[in-house]
Amino acid sequence: MSSAIRGIEEVLNRFARLQAKIDNLEHPLKASGVYMTGSIERNFKAQGRPAKWRGLADSTLAARRTGKGSGGAQILIDTAALKSSVTSDFETSSSTMSIGTNMVQAKRMHFGYPEGEGRGHSETPARPFLLFQDEDADAILKIFNKHFEDAL
């Protein structure tokens, strides 16, 4: 067999391995979802990233829980229900990853709402927590690069 034919066979084999990786993105998508839920957790821990969230109103601070959980002054973390509700989900049939929360108040907390609406009728400032940071794109690119590297 000539070296030219062996070279063509190797190229075709690489294309076949690459196609198999493209056809099965479950692993890198799931890894990306796990990574992103961790990044969102860091948003809560930092009390806003890249910009800090606006502080709590005096009325909110006064209303915080005083029982077992102590209800400190952390923004969006009185009971930690919102933070704990953030999940990632891989949909096998469409090979898609979704990250989010099913809590009703999440939209209001993320985008804020004006005075006169909602509980207490007071303004709630936007405190975006469900977002990608610049470094997240680099980390996810590394996850996908690792997935494809052995095929090339």
Side-chain angles (χ1 to χ4, degrees), residues 1-61:
M1 182 181 298
S2 77
S3 61
I5 292 174
R6 282 193 306 270
I8 290 171
E9 285 179 348
E10 177 56 30
V11 168
L12 292 174
N13 286 337
R14 285 184 181 195
F15 276 126
R17 289 193 304 269
L18 186 58
Q19 184 63 52
K21 292 289 188 171
I22 290 169
D23 288 344
N24 185 6
L25 296 177
E26 181 174 359
H27 178 73
L29 284 170
K30 282 184 174 180
S32 297
V34 169
Y35 173 85
M36 279 309 301
T37 55
S39 178
I40 292 164
E41 171 88 17
R42 291 187 291 280
N43 294 342
F44 281 96
K45 187 174 184 174
Q47 297 289 271
R49 296 186 309 151
K52 295 287 186 190
W53 296 324
R54 191 167 112 192
L56 295 170
D58 291 339
S59 59
T60 302
L61 288 170

Side-chain angles (χ1 to χ4, degrees), residues 91-132:
E91 176 57 48
T92 305
S93 64
S94 60
S95 291
T96 57
M97 173 59 62
S98 61
I99 301 164
T101 173
N102 62 357
M103 294 196 72
V104 174
Q105 66 269 38
K107 182 177 177 181
R108 288 182 168 187
M109 298 298 109
H110 185 86
F111 295 107
Y113 59 96
E115 187 174 350
E117 294 184 19
R119 191 177 86 193
H121 306 289
S122 59
E123 174 200 8
T124 298
R127 294 183 173 114
F129 62 92
L130 197 61
L131 50 91
F132 278 73

